[in-house]
């Protein structure tokens, strides 16, 4: 019999059930599976399931009824409808979002702002003290090494730890497969330059993160938006059609918890995606920056796990999970592109800062990362639900909201008459920073959408900001 006290086991089961309830699998007042049935399904002890159910009771999500079982607790609100699958035109376009992006970024520097606009985790959640302590020890223990260049491919200790963790993603990477970078943004930029040139067409999700659009804009490439489902990611049929009708040079996708949708492509679809791109000899740049922030029972695989021909260039960083200010990322570009990536890395920034790489490597090696991830995944899942509830109660009737499977952002569709750019300007006057929808499309679609960061801890300031934003949207 498995121990019932395992925090990973019962909390993981609890979070999985919480998401099923939140996404509508079990509705308000409906009975959830019996303890015995769930015990058999998860192949764990009855006491483990009871602990999971007690945790859900404490959070007010379910309630016990004598001699009847557990039921979803009635709520004063119901999650609204979700946005539909995007339907962008099959037209490659130049990208011109840079000026608008910088407005959002500049507002992020104002400490008085309610920060819904930039995707940054709450400083209070980050293990900053532990990392600072590690850096201090390393600085004293290895003063010369910690203050010297870590030329490409980068710090070996960090590459060893990233390679070890790759098993969880379905990959079998070695330290020699990896190149460290200054965050995921640099990794993406390096990979774009390695596989494409100015004027080439890059297929992207629609909507997609504006940092990806900025990279494409910077290198004079063109973006082609692919229809994307708010839960399951890009449409493979639409991608095939696009490939057959346009000269696509590369694809750049966030398959695990796309920003801003929070969508997660099923692993089986990732396998089909890799097969499709192999058929047409098209490389895939895969940004897995949110992959560790899953709300389900286990970490989703990456498309790289199905890559047998070195056509998937995997990128990630620790900016959204561990240390935004350290700017430490990495790429596993495969043997086909690694030499060029190393050359471009040296030309671009010479090397990634050494001491932050060493500190993160030691934090990973000591097991602190997994413990930390278990905590923040629970917090982010709870934040998503709290903010969804507040938006539902305070925003205009007809507002639609995504059901993220991981990460910490919400994509909110407002009634069609509302202009999110105008709302953004009005919100700034109220000291509220949001990311308007046109930022997430090269053709500046999604004029009645906004993205909301849920990474900050719930507080009166956050709640007041959402209530004010809802009032502005109604008037």
């Amino acid at each position: 019999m498995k121990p019932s006290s395992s925090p990973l086991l019962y909390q993981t089961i609890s979070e999985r059930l919480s998401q099923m309830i939140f996404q509508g699998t079990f509705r308000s007042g409906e009975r959830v599976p019996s303890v015995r049935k769930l015990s058999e399904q998860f192949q764990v002890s009855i006491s483990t399931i009871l602990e999971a159910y007690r945790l859900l009771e404490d959070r007010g999500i379910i309630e016990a009824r004598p001699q009847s079982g557990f039921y979803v607790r009635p709520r004063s609100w119901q999650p609204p409808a979700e946005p539909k699958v995007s339907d962008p035109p099959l037209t490659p376009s130049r990208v011109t979002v840079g000026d608008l992006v910088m407005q959002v970024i500049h507002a992020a520097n104002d400490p008085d702002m309610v920060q819904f606009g930039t995707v940054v985790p709450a400083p209070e959640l980050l293990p900053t003290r532990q990392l600072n302590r590690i850096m201090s020890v390393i600085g004293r223990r290895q003063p010369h090494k910690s203050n010297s260049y870590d030329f490409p491919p980068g710090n070996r200790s960090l590459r060893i730890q990233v390679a070890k963790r790759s098993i969880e993603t379905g990959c079998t990477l070695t330290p020699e497969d990896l190149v460290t970078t200054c965050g995921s943004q640099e990794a993406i930029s390096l990979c774009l330059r390695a596989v494409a040139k100015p004027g080439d067409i890059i297929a992207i999700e629609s909507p997609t993160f504006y940092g990806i659009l900025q990279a494409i804009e910077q290198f004079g490439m063109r973006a082609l938006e692919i229809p994307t489902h708010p839960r399951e990611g890009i449409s493979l049929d639409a991608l095939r059609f696009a490939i057959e009708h346009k000269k696509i040079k590369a694809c750049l996708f966030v398959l695990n918890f796309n920003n801003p949708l929070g969508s997660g492509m099923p692993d089986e679809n990732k396998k089909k995606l890799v097969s499709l791109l192999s058929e047409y000899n098209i490389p895939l740049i895969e940004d897995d920056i949110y992959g560790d922030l899953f709300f389900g029972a286990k970490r989703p695989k990456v498309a790289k796990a199905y890559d047998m021909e070195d056509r998937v260039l995997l990128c990630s960083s620790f900016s959204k999970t561990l240390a935004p200010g350290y700017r430490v990322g990495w790429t596993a570009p495969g043997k086909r592109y690694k030499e060029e990536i190393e050359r471009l890395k040296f030309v671009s920034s010479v090397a990634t800062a050494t001491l932050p790489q060493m500190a993160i490597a030691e934090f990973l090696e000591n097991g602190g990362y997994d413990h930390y991830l278990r905590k923040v995944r629970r917090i982010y899942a709870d934040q998503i639900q709290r903010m969804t509830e507040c938006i539902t109660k305070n925003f205009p009737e007809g507002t639609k909201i995504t059901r993220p499977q991981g990460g910490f952002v919400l994509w909110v569709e407002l009634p069609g008459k509302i202009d999110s750019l105008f709302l953004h300007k009005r919100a700034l006057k109220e000291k509220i920073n949001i990311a308007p929808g046109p930022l997430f499309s090269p053709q500046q679609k999604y004029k009645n959408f906004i993205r909301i960061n849920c990474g900050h801890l719930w507080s009166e300031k956050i709640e007041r900001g959402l209530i004010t934003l809802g009032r502005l949207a109604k008037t």
Side-chain angles (χ1 to χ4, degrees):
M1 181 175 287
K2 296 185 179 183
S4 63
S5 59
S6 167
L8 174 61
L9 199 51
Y10 80 83
Q11 289 170 356
T12 297
I13 293 171
S14 172
E15 287 304 328
R16 187 171 180 182
L17 288 169
S18 177
Q19 280 299 301
M20 293 175 74
I21 293 168
F22 177 60
Q23 293 174 356
T25 304
F26 301 109
R27 300 185 181 278
S28 179
E30 186 177 351
R31 187 184 182 190
V32 295
S34 70
V35 172
R36 185 172 297 280
K37 183 176 181 180
L38 213 60
S39 170
E40 294 172 355
Q41 182 179 339
F42 283 100
Q43 296 184 322
V44 298
S45 68
I46 287 176
S47 56
T48 297
I49 299 300
L50 283 172
E51 285 190 56
Y53 276 178
R54 288 191 192 104
L55 186 58
L56 289 173
E57 277 191 287
D58 291 342
R59 293 175 60 189
I61 296 172
I62 65 172
E63 61 184 9
R65 297 182 186 175
Q67 299 179 336
S68 182
F70 291 89
Y71 290 77
V72 178
R73 189 173 182 179
R75 294 179 292 193
S76 59
W77 68 285
Q78 288 297 325
E82 300 174 70
K84 296 180 179 179
V85 177
S86 61
D87 186 26
L90 189 64
T91 308
S93 59
R94 297 288 181 182
V95 182
T96 55
V97 299
D99 291 343
L100 185 55
V101 169
M102 293 314 297
Q103 291 181 29
V104 174
I105 299 302
H106 287 153
N109 291 323
D110 186 341
D112 295 326
M113 284 278 180
V114 181
Q115 295 296 349
F116 297 139
T118 53
V119 182
V120 181
E124 308 95 302
L125 291 177
L126 300 173
T128 305
R129 288 184 179 178
Q130 297 96 306
L131 288 169
N132 285 347
R133 188 162 54 246
I134 291 171
M135 289 184 73
S136 178
V137 171
I138 291 174
R140 293 194 303 271
R141 190 175 62 208
Q142 303 182 65
H144 300 300
K145 184 177 180 181
S146 63
N147 196 28
S148 61
Y149 285 123
D150 247 327
F151 293 115
N155 183 264
R156 182 169 178 80
S157 296
L158 178 61
R159 288 185 288 118
I160 288 172
Q161 294 305 316
V162 172
K164 287 180 178 179
R165 296 191 64 83
S166 71
I167 296 174
E168 297 177 18
T169 70
C171 294
T172 52
L173 300 177
T174 69
E176 284 64 42
D177 294 323
L178 297 157
V179 180
T180 66
T181 61
C182 299
S184 188
Q185 188 70 19
E186 185 185 44
I188 290 169
S189 296
L190 295 174
C191 291
L192 273 173
R193 292 166 65 192
V195 303
K197 61 183 184 302
D200 282 341
I201 298 173
I202 311 299
I204 59 171
E205 292 146 316
S206 182
T208 197
F209 172 50
Y210 51 71
I212 286 173
L213 297 180
Q214 285 182 294
I216 293 172
E217 178 180 2
Q218 178 186 5
F219 302 128
M221 300 168 188
R222 292 179 293 163
L224 180 63
E225 298 178 79
I226 305 298
T228 306
H229 189 280
R231 288 206 198 188
E232 297 188 352
I234 59 160
S235 164
L236 295 180
D237 290 338
L239 178 60
R240 179 179 286 277
F241 182 85
I243 289 171
E244 292 173 350
H245 290 82
K246 301 293 179 181
K247 192 175 180 180
I248 294 175
K249 186 66 174 181
C251 295
L252 205 176
F253 299 142
V254 184
L255 302 176
N256 290 328
F257 322 127
N258 158 291
N259 172 5
L261 291 175
S263 58
M265 176 179 275
D267 287 347
E268 182 60 30
N269 284 9
K270 291 170 189 163
K271 185 176 182 179
K272 293 177 181 177
L273 170 63
V274 172
S275 177
L276 170 62
L277 297 183
S278 176
E279 182 181 340
Y280 289 92
N281 194 26
I282 296 174
L284 166 64
I285 302 171
E286 179 183 15
D287 184 6
D288 193 53
I289 192 169
Y290 296 100
D292 283 338
L293 297 178
F294 57 92
F295 299 154
K298 63 178 182 178
R299 195 200 197 283
K301 290 184 178 181
V302 293
K304 182 75 172 176
Y306 305 103
D307 179 28
M308 301 295 121
E309 299 178 357
D310 266 353
R311 298 195 190 281
V312 178
L313 299 85
L314 180 62
C315 304
S316 190
S317 86
F318 298 96
S319 296
K320 303 303 183 187
T321 55
L322 190 62
Y326 282 26
R327 307 303 304 134
V328 173
W330 53 268
T331 178
K335 294 180 176 63
R336 188 187 297 265
Y337 302 107
K338 184 169 183 280
E339 184 176 341
E340 177 65 3
I341 292 289
E342 289 188 8
R343 185 188 70 81
L344 290 169
K345 165 64 183 175
F346 182 78
V347 171
S348 298
S349 56
V350 179
T352 304
T354 302
L355 189 52
Q357 290 185 84
M358 295 174 73
I360 289 178
E362 187 159 323
F363 189 80
L364 297 179
E365 185 176 7
N366 292 339
Y369 190 47
D370 288 309
H371 175 77
Y372 166 75
L373 284 176
R374 288 195 291 272
K375 179 184 75 172
V376 295
R377 283 196 292 259
R378 294 194 300 274
I379 292 172
Y380 290 147
D382 184 62
Q383 290 285 100
I384 291 283
Q385 290 185 234
R386 280 178 178 240
M387 297 186 79
T388 297
E389 179 178 357
C390 190
I391 291 169
T392 302
K393 290 180 177 179
N394 293 285
F395 276 49
E397 186 176 350
T399 296
K400 299 178 181 178
I401 311 174
T402 49
R403 307 281 195 278
Q405 301 172 47
F408 48 89
V409 298
L410 285 172
W411 184 237
V412 181
E413 180 181 358
L414 301 166
K417 64 180 181 180
I418 298 176
D419 184 338
S420 63
L421 291 173
F422 181 61
L423 179 62
H424 169 62
K425 292 178 181 178
R426 293 183 67 199
L428 286 178
K429 294 179 180 178
E430 299 279 352
K431 291 293 184 179
I432 301 170
N433 187 24
I434 60 173
L439 279 177
F440 302 89
S441 165
Q443 301 188 53
Q444 301 201 3
K445 290 168 56 65
Y446 310 112
K447 293 188 183 300
N448 61 314
F449 286 75
I450 60 174
R451 187 198 65 187
I452 297 290
N453 171 36
C454 302
H456 291 286
L457 291 173
W458 184 258
S459 65
E460 184 180 344
K461 181 179 180 181
I462 295 293
E463 183 177 21
R464 193 167 57 244
L466 285 176
I467 293 172
T468 301
L469 192 58
R471 174 178 55 80
L472 294 175
K474 289 176 179 178
T475 57

